[in-house]
Amino acid sequence: MELIQNTPEISAYLAADEVIDHGHPRVRATATALSADASDAYAYAKAAFEYVRDTIPHSQDAGDERSEMGAPAEGRWRVTWRASDVLARRTGICHAKAHALAALLRAEGIPTALCYQKFEVVHGLVAVKLPGEDRWARQDPRGNKPGVDAQFRLDREQLAFTVRPECNELDYPVLFAEPHPVVLQCLREAVDRPHLWQTLPTDL
């Protein structure tokens, strides 16, 4: 599948905004810590990917039932969407984790796009363009579990999920510099996680 930038300017895939807030102290501190042992851009990108994949549990897998302050919350489950909040609260669904990884990669000057797949609902992941590479490579930091084994690779894709066209599933080819507005609206308007599950977009 050919991946298509939705803007020709590579600088758009390095920009900070309200969601991918890589100027935030939390993002900067995490990026600095991860870069300390990285010998080059590839090593850093792999370390950032594994950090988000492995140390920030996917909300659904973790059964995160804490309030934003970390105390029991009478069934009110946290929904994160801003990269710095995902890193601070250490929880998020696929879209939120993609935002966090994009922020960490852009913080170190690695162009990073947001991209999507369609299953029963829209699934979020990222694509990176490392120095010296002539193509984008999709990476999925959703989080592994039995039956899911996503890895950071440039030679071929090893994502969390493979689409089945016969089931009306598909890979969206567009690489977005900013979160898709349909996805972002859903995340921002969700009052809790049960509400989020009911309102996740089924298409873009």
Side-chain angles (χ1 to χ4, degrees):
M1 180 185 66
E2 181 182 0
L3 299 174
I4 305 166
Q5 294 178 209
N6 77 325
T7 175
E9 300 298 331
I10 198 68
S11 60
Y13 298 94
L14 292 167
D17 57 28
E18 182 184 15
V19 181
I20 305 174
D21 56 341
H22 59 72
H24 189 281
R26 171 79 61 172
V27 180
R28 296 302 316 170
T30 305
T32 298
L34 291 170
S35 65
D37 295 324
S39 58
D40 56 20
Y42 174 87
Y44 174 79
K46 186 173 186 289
F49 168 84
E50 292 177 348
Y51 178 85
V52 175
R53 184 194 64 186
D54 298 341
T55 72
I56 301 174
H58 188 287
S59 302
Q60 187 176 38
D61 296 348
D64 180 4
E65 300 183 31
R66 295 168 292 172
S67 73
E68 294 185 358
M69 298 303 294
E74 299 178 355
R76 188 172 180 83
W77 297 350
R78 298 182 294 175
V79 176
T80 55
W81 49 269
R82 183 182 288 111
S84 58
D85 289 339
V86 176
L87 295 176
R89 297 172 183 167
R90 307 190 71 76
T91 187
I93 67 167
C94 59
H95 302 291
K97 294 186 67 171
H99 300 165
L101 179 55
L104 290 173
L105 294 175
R106 291 185 185 186
E108 292 296 312
I110 299 172
T112 308
L114 300 169
C115 45
Y116 303 92
Q117 296 174 305
K118 171 182 167 62
F119 297 101
E120 290 185 3
V121 295
V122 174
H123 174 62
L125 55 161
V126 306
V128 301
K129 193 169 188 181
L130 292 178
E133 296 290 331
D134 59 0
R135 64 181 185 85
W136 291 87
R138 294 192 303 172
Q139 314 292 339
D140 192 341
R142 178 222 178 271
N144 289 341
K145 61 179 183 176
V148 176
D149 182 26
Q151 301 293 332
F152 186 87
R153 303 188 66 131
L154 299 182
D155 58 334
R156 63 177 177 85
E157 290 187 339
Q158 189 168 340
L159 307 178
F161 309 111
T162 302
V163 302
R164 299 167 298 172
E166 67 274 15
C167 297
N168 199 33
E169 300 172 352
L170 61 88
D171 288 304
Y172 293 103
V174 178
L175 301 175
F176 294 90
E178 300 175 350
H180 193 284
V182 169
V183 170
L184 184 56
Q185 180 180 1
C186 171
L187 291 171
R188 295 181 69 165
E189 292 182 354
V191 296
D192 55 28
R193 224 175 67 228
H195 179 240
L196 176 64
W197 298 150
Q198 297 172 4
T199 58
L200 282 170
T202 58
D203 204 349
L204 295 181

